Amino acid sequence: MSETSVLTHASATGIPVARHDHPTPVLGALGLFTVLLGAALPLIDFFIVNVALPTIDHDLAAGPALLELVVAGYGLAYAVLLVLGGRLGDMAGRRRLFLIGMAGFGLTSLACGLAPDAWTLVGARVAQGAAAALMLPQVLATIQAATAGHRRARAMSLYGATAGLSMVAGQILGGVLVSAAPLSSVFGESAGWRSVFLVNVPVAVVGLFLAARTVPESRSDRPAPVDVPGTLLLALSLVTLLAPLTEGRAAGWPLWTWVSLGLFPFAAVAFYRVERRADARGRTPLVPPSLLRLESLRRGLALVVPFSVGFGGFMFVIAVALQQGLGMGPAAAGLSLAPMAAAFFAASLAGPRLVRRFGSRVVTAGGLIQGVGVTVLALTVWRGWPDLGLMGLLPGVALAGLGQGLQLPVLFRIVLSDVPADRAGVGGGVMTTTQQAALALGVATLGTLFLALAPDGMRDALIVTLLVQLAAVVLTVLLSLRLPRTVR
C-alpha cells in the first residue's frame, strides 16, 4: 500500500496530515522525525543533568543525597513505568499516549525549570520520568506497527542512532546551556541549570503540533488489560535494586539500603512467577515470559544490559572527572564528548549498509573498536593527567563512539526483529525498560565506585572505572558471537 494512500495535505499549512481512521497505518518521513524527537527527549534529559549538578548544588544547597535523587528519581520513575506505558499504548492508542506523554513532559520540564528548592526539583523530576515513560514506548511500537520491510529496517537504524546520539548530545547540550545561561536576565545565577529543563518546553510544543498532524494512530488488535500484580512487582523489583545502589553511598549506607537490597531477589522471583503463571493461563502479563523465547529478543537483550551499564556509568563519571578533576567548565566538559557524538552518528549512518553485508558481526566489530577506544582513553588519562585537554581526549572518545554507533542501532533491530506487530508495545517496553534500568544501574555502580575511589586520587579512580567498563565491553563482544547471524 502506498504512503500517499493514507496521507493528505493540509491546504493551509502544507504539512502532511495522517488519516488516522485508515486500517493500515503508515508512518511518513515527517511522522518518523516526530516520533524520533519523542525518543530523543527522554534520553537527552537523563544525561543533560550530569554537567548541571554542581550548579544545582550551589544554587539550591542540595547536598550529595538530593543530587543523587535528582538523577535517580527520574531514572527510577522512567524505568518502572516504561512497560506499563507500552501496554497502555496498545490499549488506548499509541498516538494518543504519545501526545499525552509529550504534553506531560513539557509541563514537568517547566516545573523542573521553575523549582524553588531541591525537594521540589526531585518531585518534578519523578513526574518528568513518568511522562517520558508514557511517551517513549509508543515510538518503537508505532515504528513496528506502521512500517515494514526496508522502511522498518531504516527506521529502526535511525531509532538506534537517535538513542545513542541523544545520550551523548544531552551532556554536550547541558554543558553549553549551563555556561551560556540564556535566561540569566530572568533567573540570575541559577539560569544555567534551569535552562537545561526549560529548553524542553518549546520543543514539546513543536512535537505536539507535528504529532497531531503526522503520526498515525495504531493499537493492538487484541489489547490486554493492565497487569496490576505484574506492574507492582516490577516496580518493587526495580526500586529495591536501584534506589539503594543509587542513594547508598551519599546517605552513608543506612539500614534501609541493606534491607532493600535483601528484598530485591524475592521481589524479582515473585515477579517472574506471577508473570509465568499468567502466561500459562492464557492471559497477557506485563512482561510475557513467552516473549523471551524469541531468540533474537533474548540474545539481543543480553547485550543491551552490559552495553548500557558501561555507557551510563561512563557518561556520569566523565562529567564529574572533567569538571572536578581537570577543572573544566561545563561547556568544555560537554564539548569534549563532541568527537564521540560525531563518530557515533557516522557509524550509525553506515550501519545499515554494513549489516546487509556482514550481518550481526557488525556488533562484534563495534565492540572491538569500542574496547580499543576505552583502552586508549585509559592510557591517555594515565599518561596525561592532569594536563589533559580536548585534543588529548579526542582519539579515545572518538574510537569509543565509533564502536558504540556500530552496536546500539543494530542491537535494537535484532531485539525487535521477531516481535509480532500486535505485541509491539510490549516488546518496545521490555527493551526500553531493560536499557533504562541498565543505564541507571551503570550510574549507580560505576558512579559509586568512582566516587568512593576519588578521594584517594581522581586519576586512578577514573582509570579503574574505565577498566571496569572495558570488562563490560569484553562481555558484549563475547555475547555478540551468539547473535543470529542474519539481521532482518
Side-chain angles (χ1 to χ4, degrees):
M1 183 175 297
S2 68
E3 193 169 310
T4 56
S5 65
V6 294
L7 293 178
T8 60
H9 290 79
S11 58
T13 64
I15 296 176
V17 180
R19 278 171 43 191
H20 305 304
D21 59 341
H22 199 282
T24 305
V26 174
L27 187 65
L30 191 54
L32 178 60
F33 168 81
T34 304
V35 295
L36 291 180
L37 178 66
L41 283 175
L43 289 168
I44 286 174
D45 264 63
F46 184 82
F47 291 96
I48 200 171
V49 178
N50 286 344
V51 292
L53 291 176
T55 55
I56 292 174
D57 187 21
H58 177 268
D59 187 55
L60 300 182
L66 281 181
L67 285 179
E68 295 273 7
L69 277 177
V70 170
V71 179
Y74 177 89
L76 279 172
Y78 188 23
V80 164
L81 297 173
L82 271 168
V83 179
L84 179 61
R87 174 64 57 84
L88 292 174
D90 286 349
M91 294 172 57
R94 291 150 187 157
R95 173 177 171 271
R96 179 180 299 176
L97 263 292
F98 183 85
L99 290 169
I100 292 172
M102 180 71 79
F105 195 83
L107 291 172
T108 52
S109 295
L110 180 64
C112 289
L114 300 179
D117 54 61
W119 277 111
T120 303
L121 177 59
V122 169
R125 283 284 282 173
V126 171
Q128 189 186 35
L134 291 180
M135 177 169 58
L136 186 62
Q138 318 316 324
V139 176
L140 282 169
T142 298
I143 290 173
Q144 287 287 97
T147 61
H150 176 69
R151 292 181 66 250
R152 178 182 294 177
R154 179 175 173 272
M156 288 302 301
S157 294
L158 288 173
Y159 174 87
T162 300
L165 197 59
S166 299
M167 291 187 279
V168 182
Q171 227 144 285
I172 298 172
L173 179 62
V176 171
L177 288 173
V178 170
S179 297
L183 300 175
S184 56
S185 61
V186 180
F187 295 107
E189 292 184 0
S190 68
W193 71 262
R194 295 184 188 278
S195 296
V196 305
F197 299 114
L198 295 176
V199 71
N200 294 327
V201 178
V203 177
V205 171
V206 172
L208 283 169
F209 174 77
L210 291 176
R213 292 173 171 268
T214 66
V215 177
E217 183 63 282
S218 65
R219 54 171 54 87
S220 175
D221 293 333
R222 299 185 300 275
V226 173
D227 176 13
V228 176
T231 301
L232 294 176
L233 285 170
L234 177 62
L236 182 63
S237 300
L238 291 174
V239 169
T240 53
L241 174 65
L242 295 177
L245 288 178
T246 304
E247 282 294 294
R249 185 202 61 84
W253 296 105
L255 178 61
W256 73 263
T257 59
W258 299 108
V259 172
S260 182
L261 287 172
L263 287 174
F264 164 69
F266 296 99
V269 170
F271 170 69
Y272 176 73
R273 288 183 174 176
V274 165
E275 299 299 273
R276 186 177 63 178
R277 188 179 303 119
D279 212 9
R281 292 177 177 175
R283 302 171 188 165
T284 305
L286 190 70
V287 181
S290 58
L291 204 62
L292 298 177
R293 297 188 193 121
L294 297 174
E295 182 184 30
S296 55
L297 183 139
R298 186 176 65 252
R299 295 188 176 184
L301 287 180
L303 267 80
V304 169
V305 171
F307 179 93
S308 300
V309 166
F311 194 98
F314 169 80
M315 297 299 287
F316 175 80
V317 166
I318 201 69
V320 176
L322 294 182
Q323 291 187 81
Q324 296 184 6
L326 295 180
M328 290 185 179
L335 290 174
S336 66
L337 298 177
M340 176 180 283
F344 190 105
F345 185 66
S348 300
L349 293 179
R353 185 171 63 255
L354 294 173
V355 166
R356 286 195 294 271
R357 183 172 180 183
F358 301 107
S360 64
R361 291 298 174 259
V362 172
V363 177
T364 306
L368 292 172
I369 294 171
Q370 184 189 2
V372 172
V374 173
T375 302
V376 169
L377 189 57
L379 290 172
T380 302
V381 171
W382 178 60
R383 296 180 60 183
W385 193 275
D387 300 318
L388 281 175
L390 299 183
M391 295 306 297
L393 295 169
L394 189 151
V397 297
L399 281 171
L402 182 66
Q404 290 161 348
L406 291 175
Q407 294 175 81
L408 194 61
V410 184
L411 283 177
F412 285 165
R413 281 181 59 183
I414 290 172
V415 168
L416 296 177
S417 59
D418 294 326
V419 175
D422 64 342
R423 304 178 90 180
V426 176
V430 169
M431 189 185 76
T432 48
T433 297
T434 302
Q435 181 199 21
Q436 183 60 37
L439 287 170
L441 186 61
V443 173
T445 53
L446 295 185
T448 296
L449 173 66
F450 172 77
L451 294 173
L453 296 174
D456 297 325
M458 191 77 72
R459 184 197 74 164
D460 292 344
L462 179 55
I463 291 173
V464 169
T465 307
L466 288 171
L467 292 177
V468 173
Q469 186 194 6
L470 183 61
V473 173
V474 171
L475 179 59
T476 62
V477 170
L478 295 175
L479 290 173
S480 71
L481 299 175
R482 301 181 66 245
L483 290 173
R485 186 62 183 270
T486 302
V487 180
R488 285 197 290 274

